[in-house]
């Protein structure tokens, strides 16, 4: 189980690395953790808890997860299924799409 406690994070690479190895992660429940947009489903491919609560409550939540190996395995597998979609080729395709849209938008504005 990977514990990723930042309350704000542009993109938690360790979370994706853990997911690639079928290891589920615990992230802060808010949308301020960027990787939460990729692994968005609590209990499906990531676990979300409130890291602003007391340490005993956080520890209790983590302990509960650690005691449920079937759930950890299922969520780890789902996380891995999602993580393997992010290959260098798929990243390049996404980046190409974004850049082409920006170029097209620039051309349209230049023609005005």
């Amino acid at each position: 189980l990977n514990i990723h406690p930042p309350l704000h994070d542009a993109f938690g690479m360790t979370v994706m690395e853990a997911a690639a190895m079928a290891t589920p992660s615990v992230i802060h429940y808010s949308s301020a953790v960027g990787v939460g947009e990729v692994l968005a489903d609590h209990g499906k491919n990531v676990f979300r808890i409130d890291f602003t609560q007391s340490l005993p409550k956080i520890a209790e939540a983590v302990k509960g997860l650690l005691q449920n190996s079937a759930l950890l395995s299922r969520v780890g597998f789902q996380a891995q299924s999602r993580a393997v979609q992010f290959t260098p080729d798929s990243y390049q395709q996404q980046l190409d799409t974004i850049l082409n849209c920006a170029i097209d938008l620039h051309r349209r504005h230049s023609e005005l």
Side-chain angles (χ1 to χ4, degrees):
L1 183 62
N2 178 44
I3 310 296
H4 188 76
L7 304 183
H8 306 280
D9 187 357
F11 191 82
M13 187 55 109
T14 60
V15 176
M16 288 303 286
E17 290 169 345
M21 301 304 294
T23 300
S25 292
V26 177
I27 64 173
H28 186 57
Y29 76 96
S30 80
S31 61
V33 179
V35 75
E37 294 178 13
V38 176
L39 301 173
D41 298 325
H42 172 73
K44 181 178 177 189
N45 54 28
V46 71
F47 298 109
R48 293 175 177 267
I49 64 172
D50 181 359
F51 279 110
T52 64
Q53 61 187 335
S54 69
L55 287 178
K57 286 188 177 191
I58 294 170
E60 183 180 326
V62 170
K63 182 179 176 182
L65 293 172
L66 290 171
Q67 291 174 335
N68 191 337
S69 60
L71 178 63
L72 290 175
S73 293
R74 182 176 53 78
V75 172
F77 176 75
Q78 291 294 327
Q80 185 179 45
S81 295
R82 184 73 175 121
V84 298
Q85 296 174 13
F86 293 88
T87 65
D89 288 339
S90 70
Y91 177 75
Q92 180 181 353
Q93 288 174 349
Q94 291 174 3
L95 188 57
D96 286 347
T97 300
I98 292 168
L99 292 174
N100 286 330
C101 287
I103 290 168
D104 288 343
L105 185 62
H106 176 72
R107 285 182 183 147
R108 283 188 218 140
H109 285 307
S110 297
E111 293 171 356
L112 296 178

